[in-house]
Amino acid sequence: MRHDDPRPPLSCSRLLLEIRDLNLDFGTPRGRVHALRNVSLDVPAGQVVGIVGESGSGKSTLAYTVMGLLPENADVTSGSILFEGRNLLKMPAPARRSLLGDRVSMIFQDPMTALNPVRTIASQMIDIQHHEQGSRSEKRAHALDMLHRAGIPDPQIRIGAYPHHFSGGMRQRVCIAMALLVKPALLVADEPTTALDATLEVQIIHLLKELQKEIGCSVLFVSHHLGAVAELCDRVAVMYAGEVVEQGPVRDIFHNPAHPYTRALLECDPGRIKKSTRTLPTIPGEVPSLLGSKEGCIFHSRCSQAFNRCMHDNPVEYRIGMDQVARCHVLDKQRLVSA
Ligand code: ATP
Ligand code: SF4
Ligand code: MG
């Protein structure tokens, strides 16, 4: 079916975050890097949305744009980011700052990014509740409860420690506890498990899932680990060279990928390779340079299904089923054949 509507139906869920036609460039001495191109993405309330894609596809740029934490050379050239119906890109800076740490929290790949190395966990966890009513001792009790729920052993003692007293996995637990302490409506997590070993990654994913359900927040979860996305997420957006090429429910995308890039990404996933092999498969070819304007489909130089039209026209979104959309001319061809 041709995707003519602005967005696919999302099983009647209320949308917490609606990103529409977002374009972002980075100014560099070599020219403008088009890091986000016409990105549209929905995050329904209470759901976990994964963002996957190869390195350099724009996952972190998208996450940081939502958070309003972009470097100085970034320039949002068009589009909107509606959070609870308000456009974050048009919001005055003080209003946006008060939203951060109150309605929206973030966890990073490196927990030290979020933690102050010279202050105890207690003082940082009390300060982060500055919007909340209550005495210091009530806030400390709240922090202790959260540390306990995040699986920190002996929280009564550990709350007085400094970040460097914790191991990497425990530090990430502290960051999750801190980020969720204010019960945000949205948690943005950029590769929160990438620096951890496989066992710790599983533990952190389970913890995130448990706390997300308990708090009822939405999560935007950036990861290159498809297994973690399958485990944690309700929906997934696949990014390639600054574009969201496919998005929809995790189950549909992982079982019935419609975009050739999604299929290639899944075929190269170490978790899905059945036969033992010495070398992991990779997608042939290279990610195109993001400098300058592009003609045709962004994936055409690496796509085994490319045909003439792919060189000239950038595909629009086509709907597959109820909630899944993908940008590929083959879907238009199939529509014409079945019509
Ligand atoms: P990874 O999986 O490696 O974390 P990513 O998908 O998060 O990759 P981004 O970090 O968002 O990718 O980068 C997207 C593109 O924007 C890349 O080409 C990157 O080189 C470029 N980029 C990111 N930050 C800047 C910057 N500050 N200035 C110029 N270019 C940048
Ligand atoms: Fe491949 Fe063409 Fe589809 Fe792009 S539009 S993914 S080049 S078949
Ligand atoms: Mg990144």
Side-chain angles (χ1 to χ4, degrees), residues 195-209:
L196 306 176
D197 67 40
T199 317
L200 285 177
E201 176 171 42
V202 172
Q203 290 175 9
I204 295 290
I205 294 293
H206 284 159
L207 172 67
L208 264 177
K209 200 168 176 171

Side-chain angles (χ1 to χ4, degrees), residues 101-118:
D102 183 12
R103 303 289 297 148
V104 187
S105 298
M106 184 158 190
I107 42 179
F108 302 85
Q109 179 175 339
D110 176 6
M112 288 311 271
T113 311
L115 296 170
N116 185 333
V118 296

Side-chain angles (χ1 to χ4, degrees), residues 104-328:
V104 187
S105 298
M106 184 158 190
I107 42 179
F108 302 85
Q109 179 175 339
D110 176 6
M112 288 311 271
T113 311
L115 296 170
N116 185 333
V118 296
R119 294 181 59 211
T120 63
I121 299 302
S123 70
Q124 298 186 53
M125 289 187 84
I126 290 169
D127 277 5
I128 212 165
Q129 299 173 67
H130 63 276
H131 289 301
E132 315 271 318
Q133 301 283 329
S135 65
R136 249 186 110 71
S137 64
E138 282 167 341
K139 288 179 181 176
R140 187 186 157 91
H142 190 192
L144 271 173
D145 174 52
M146 205 61 208
L147 286 175
H148 174 71
R149 273 146 72 181
I152 303 288
D154 303 321
Q156 287 278 6
I157 298 166
R158 305 291 279 158
I159 197 167
Y162 289 86
H164 67 269
H165 292 136
F166 292 82
S167 66
M170 283 296 156
R171 262 204 295 261
Q172 197 57 295
R173 282 176 188 265
V174 170
C175 286
I176 292 170
M178 259 174 83
L180 294 177
L181 196 55
V182 291
K183 294 201 168 56
L186 176 68
L187 175 69
V188 177
D190 186 15
E191 309 260 13
T193 57
T194 305
L196 306 176
D197 67 40
T199 317
L200 285 177
E201 176 171 42
V202 172
Q203 290 175 9
I204 295 290
I205 294 293
H206 284 159
L207 172 67
L208 264 177
K209 200 168 176 171
E210 215 176 277
L211 293 178
Q212 180 268 334
K213 278 206 182 116
E214 205 175 302
I215 290 168
C217 60
S218 302
V219 181
L220 195 57
F221 179 74
V222 173
S223 181
H224 65 268
H225 189 172
L226 301 181
V229 170
E231 182 75 28
L232 180 67
C233 300
D234 301 293
R235 300 179 61 79
V236 63
V238 182
M239 290 194 73
Y240 181 73
E243 289 188 10
V244 171
V245 293
E246 180 161 11
Q247 64 178 301
V250 161
R251 216 173 291 135
D252 296 348
I253 303 254
F254 281 16
H255 288 134
N256 183 26
H259 196 283
Y261 177 66
T262 313
R263 283 200 287 273
L265 203 61
L266 290 169
E267 277 159 21
C268 296
D269 178 28
R272 291 176 161 240
I273 296 164
K274 300 273 185 303
K275 281 187 278 176
S276 66
T277 168
R278 279 171 165 275
T279 48
L280 286 174
T282 51
I283 304 173
E286 281 177 18
V287 179
S289 155
L290 301 181
L291 289 164
S293 58
K294 294 280 171 289
E295 209 186 338
C297 170
I298 193 79
F299 189 52
H300 77 73
S301 62
R302 298 171 83 185
C303 182
S304 57
Q305 287 178 260
F307 57 108
N308 240 346
R309 185 176 170 191
C310 307
M311 316 299 157
H312 312 291
D313 294 347
N314 192 6
V316 295
E317 278 183 340
Y318 296 96
R319 192 186 300 166
I320 311 112
M322 278 291 282
D323 270 357
Q324 189 178 350
V325 288
R327 289 175 177 270
C328 174

Side-chain angles (χ1 to χ4, degrees), residues 55-56 58-61 64 109 190-191 222:
S55 185
K59 306 181 297 295
S60 296
T61 302
Y64 281 84
Q109 179 175 339
D190 186 15
E191 309 260 13
V222 173

